[in-house]
Amino acid sequence: MRRAVDLSRLLSSEGISHTRLADHSGVILDIDSLQVFSVNDTGMCLVEALRDGIDDHEGLVGRIVEEFEIDEETAARDVDAFIEELAQYLVDRRA
């Protein structure tokens, strides 16, 4: 899951900032481009996991299963979709 590794590194850099909001959703700010990306509570959970260095599929799925008490298959689909979308927004723009 190369894209998750790239995202983990990028989310830990000084060029990206993220904030969890009161409703558990959040925003990600790309400081270089001044672009804002909003995420729901599941997305924010994944952003925080990536920032904490969890960059493998199994670890990300496990975090979602634990946090939201959903089945692994649903969590895996959510993780895959989120990683792809966030990577397109943050990683691909820098390529």
Side-chain angles (χ1 to χ4, degrees), residues 43-55:
M44 197 64 214
C45 180
L46 288 170
V47 165
E48 290 171 341
L50 288 162
R51 185 110 188 222
D52 291 343
I54 300 173
D55 58 14

Side-chain angles (χ1 to χ4, degrees), residues 6-22:
D6 292 341
L7 282 170
S8 181
R9 288 184 187 139
L10 188 58
L11 288 167
S12 297
S13 73
E14 291 183 14
I16 302 293
S17 177
H18 76 278
T19 301
R20 181 179 282 272
L21 304 175

